[in-house]
Amino acid sequence: MLLIHCPYCDEQRAELEFAYAGEAHIARPDDPAAMSDEDWQYYLFVRANPRGRHHERWRHTHGCGRFFNAVRDTLSDKFEVTYKAGEPRR
Amino acid sequence: MTRFSAFSLFAKALGGHQGWPEQWPDAAPRPAYDAIIVGGGGHGLGAAYYLAKKYGITNVAVIEKGWLGGGNTGRNTTIIRSNYLYDESAHLYDHALKLWDGLSQELNYNTMYSKRGVMMLAHNVHDIQSFKRHIHANRLNGVDNEWLSAEEAKAYCPPLNIAPDARYPVLGAALQRRGGTARHDTVAWGYARAAAALGVDIIQNCAVTGIRRGADGAVEGVETTRGFIASKRIGVSAAGHSSVIMKMAGLDFPLESYPLQALVSEPVKPVFPCVVMSNTVHAYMSQSDKGELVIGAGTDQYVSYSQRGALHIVEHTLAAICEIFPIFRRMRMLRSWGGIVDVTPDRSPILGKTPVKGLYVNCGWGTGGFKATPGAGDLLAYTMAKDEPHPINAPFNLDRFRTGRLIDEAAAAAVAH
């Protein structure tokens, strides 16, 4: 089980308190009507799925309830850093 | 290739089983092939076999990073079924199921396919309605699936607890009698042996590090840890690492890779006659011919390539199994492991051509690829030989994520896969 540091609570807690919320920094389209089918494919379905550094969102469901971002190595599952939503990509 | 028969077994037994030759040679890569398959699991080896057997393309190499069947082929829970909801899926999985029949004879290698039945438990009203819808849809597609009452389910699988005050009451079950299990390793070995006998090179310990493309964009071959290997036709069947390989060709795929865990108990005498799945509480189980209970747990929630998962996932599954089958409460588990499964947004595979000329893909089988092994191999071989998909795998194209014509088995099953 992962140990995850919540940047809002500033505490390291067990994974059971958290919900994974997919890849981070996927921006909603500013002008959906102008998007092509291929743009939609990328926005909705295509994911980086890297073997290595992965930017991802977590939610401290059973804690403060807030979303935050994290960088984790998908080979070792070790977290490099977690940071608050809205902060620039690390 | 020495054919196995009662006589050859007897003759070799007289010699103390010392005279068996190696079943297929450990080939070194040659400079060029007519076709290359990336990934030496059941799907990839099956594709190589069918390319050689059905389509006459025998100058083929299967390139495997590790050892044969050491990925998800050797890590799954060996369940075979075809009771999928949508027409496209039913045709795809039933094509595979039909090929399982007679596969041992065709390969002259015992895959131990056992039609012991796959029973899916219904625990609530939604399950009943959903399973009955599946049953009707399956029967319209010529796929057997039938409804059992709780008592009939208990008669089919005596260890089942159907007490009305059970934590997860059993209200009935859907049974596919043609479903069952097979010995996963022998599927890889059987295909490898039969393919090698037809001239296919099986190259292990050879990781693909790049895909070389020419000026016109078409593939020219693969860069590997053992040098460049040229081929105008490359089929990728790399399971959890499919998106990594496709990136080498400059393609972004709608895939995410998750750890999926399984575990086995200590071996006991035959006690569990079929496969039982409970999607609602996430427990599924069968008993291997060695006597171990083979148990499938769920996926971890996060993307990972670590081939191991968290203990609380296993604990959740075992808690459900102890409730549904009280006789196993004191059973001890021997070992657990994880495999990396590549999951598509609609939980249906991607099997066909790619935007890159000469590059074909078989991926996205998620948590349920083993059952499709012969079918996926056959259809990938067809697609590579004809440069167009077979009608069965045509709907499973990559383009569906652009057109929106998904085959949404994820929504159909309404459970975590």
Side-chain angles (χ1 to χ4, degrees), chain B residues 189-211:
Chain B
W189 299 337
Y191 273 128
R193 174 172 170 271
L198 294 168
V200 172
D201 274 1
I202 291 160
I203 303 162
Q204 301 180 75
N205 298 309
C206 180
V208 170
T209 54
I211 293 177

Side-chain angles (χ1 to χ4, degrees), chain B residues 326-342:
Chain B
I327 64 163
F328 296 132
R329 280 185 182 171
R330 290 162 71 186
M331 194 87 154
R332 282 172 295 197
M333 294 299 137
L334 267 191
R335 58 183 190 277
S336 70
W337 62 90
I340 300 303
V341 298
D342 49 327

